[in-house]
């Protein structure tokens, strides 16, 4: 399937809950898995159903190239670090202050990147592809992917988080060696 890109309006709408996990939903999940697996330059680490034109509360996460694709249906974030909810606080690490920020990109926003402060851990309730309800805590890079994809289900693209946090956005391009070069965008 083709990945929907901004400014397509489906990306700014709240996705609808999945009422029943039947053959139609299994087909959507299969299409999403294939689409995520084929995403390259950049390689995809997550994909939400709105990104393939489906207003459904489903997203996938694949934190490593050889890792298994995880499926989240009707997810709900139950808990995340208090410091991250404000999206502006700094955490102390040893004697130095360090912001918990990562450069994020999005398959729906080609060549756009930004620094986003995300919680280092989240507790999520969701259904798996069999319909089984689960609650689990996720940490690190996977927690970041989950928050990014969860935002997609609520019609939020990561540049909104960048602007809320008074961060910077970058446009990437390839240099003569084929390596990525980042140029700050004027806001």
């Amino acid at each position: 399937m083709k990945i929907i890109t901004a400014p397509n309006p489906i990306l700014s709408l709240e996705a609808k809950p999945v009422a029943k996990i039947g053959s139609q939903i299994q087909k959507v999940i299969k299409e999403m898995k294939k689409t995520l697996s084929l995403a390259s330059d950049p390689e995809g680490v997550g994909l939400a159903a709105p990104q393939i034109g489906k207003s459904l509360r489903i997203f996938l996460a694949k934190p490593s190239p050889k890792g298994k694709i995880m499926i989240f249906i009707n997810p709900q974030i139950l808990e995340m670090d208090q410091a991250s909810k404000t999206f502006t606080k700094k955490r102390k690490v040893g004697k130095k202050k360090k912001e918990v920020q990562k450069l994020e990109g999005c398959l729906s926003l080609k060549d756009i990147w930004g620094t986003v402060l995300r919680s280092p851990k989240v507790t999520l309730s969701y259904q798996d592809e069999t319909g089984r309800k689960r609650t689990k805590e996720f940490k690190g890079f996977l927690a970041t992917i989950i928050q990014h994809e969860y935002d997609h289900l609520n019609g939020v693209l990561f540049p909104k988080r960048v602007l809320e946090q008074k961060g910077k956005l970058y446009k990437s391009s390839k240099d003569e060696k084929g390596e990525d070069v980042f140029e700050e965008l004027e806001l």
Side-chain angles (χ1 to χ4, degrees), residues 72-86:
F72 301 89
I73 302 169
N74 295 326
Q76 185 174 10
I77 291 178
L78 301 177
E79 192 177 322
M80 60 186 191
D81 281 3
Q82 286 297 109
S84 299
K85 285 187 179 179
T86 64

Side-chain angles (χ1 to χ4, degrees), residues 54-84:
K54 308 285 184 191
S55 180
L56 295 167
R57 295 192 72 78
I58 302 170
F59 70 78
L60 310 180
K62 183 182 175 192
S64 65
K66 295 188 191 306
K68 182 180 178 222
I69 294 175
M70 292 173 267
I71 299 150
F72 301 89
I73 302 169
N74 295 326
Q76 185 174 10
I77 291 178
L78 301 177
E79 192 177 322
M80 60 186 191
D81 281 3
Q82 286 297 109
S84 299

Side-chain angles (χ1 to χ4, degrees), residues 30-165:
K30 185 177 179 179
E31 291 170 359
M32 288 177 69
K33 283 180 170 182
K34 185 175 181 183
T35 303
L36 180 59
S37 295
L38 293 173
S40 62
D41 200 23
E43 187 172 313
V45 295
L47 185 69
Q51 291 180 276
I52 62 161
K54 308 285 184 191
S55 180
L56 295 167
R57 295 192 72 78
I58 302 170
F59 70 78
L60 310 180
K62 183 182 175 192
S64 65
K66 295 188 191 306
K68 182 180 178 222
I69 294 175
M70 292 173 267
I71 299 150
F72 301 89
I73 302 169
N74 295 326
Q76 185 174 10
I77 291 178
L78 301 177
E79 192 177 322
M80 60 186 191
D81 281 3
Q82 286 297 109
S84 299
K85 285 187 179 179
T86 64
F87 294 106
T88 55
K89 290 190 176 181
K90 293 183 179 183
R91 294 182 356 163
K92 283 190 176 185
V93 178
K95 294 181 181 178
K96 298 179 182 178
K97 286 185 178 180
K98 180 181 175 186
E99 289 187 30
V100 183
Q101 289 185 331
K102 304 262 189 220
L103 198 61
E104 277 188 34
C106 180
L107 296 172
S108 292
L109 294 165
K110 182 121 174 82
D111 302 328
I112 302 297
W113 302 87
T115 52
V116 181
L117 182 64
R118 300 278 190 189
S119 175
K121 67 180 179 180
V122 295
T123 303
L124 192 73
S125 72
Y126 63 98
Q127 290 173 275
D128 64 20
E129 66 273 21
T130 69
R132 185 174 168 203
K133 291 184 179 184
R134 299 177 176 267
T135 299
K136 189 172 177 183
E137 181 179 274
F138 299 92
K139 297 179 180 180
F141 186 48
L142 183 52
T144 297
I145 295 168
I146 287 169
Q147 291 166 82
H148 178 106
E149 300 307 328
Y150 188 80
D151 275 351
H152 271 297
L153 301 184
N154 294 312
V156 176
L157 297 177
F158 84 90
K160 179 177 181 180
R161 298 288 183 226
V162 172
L163 295 174
E164 288 172 348
Q165 299 169 20

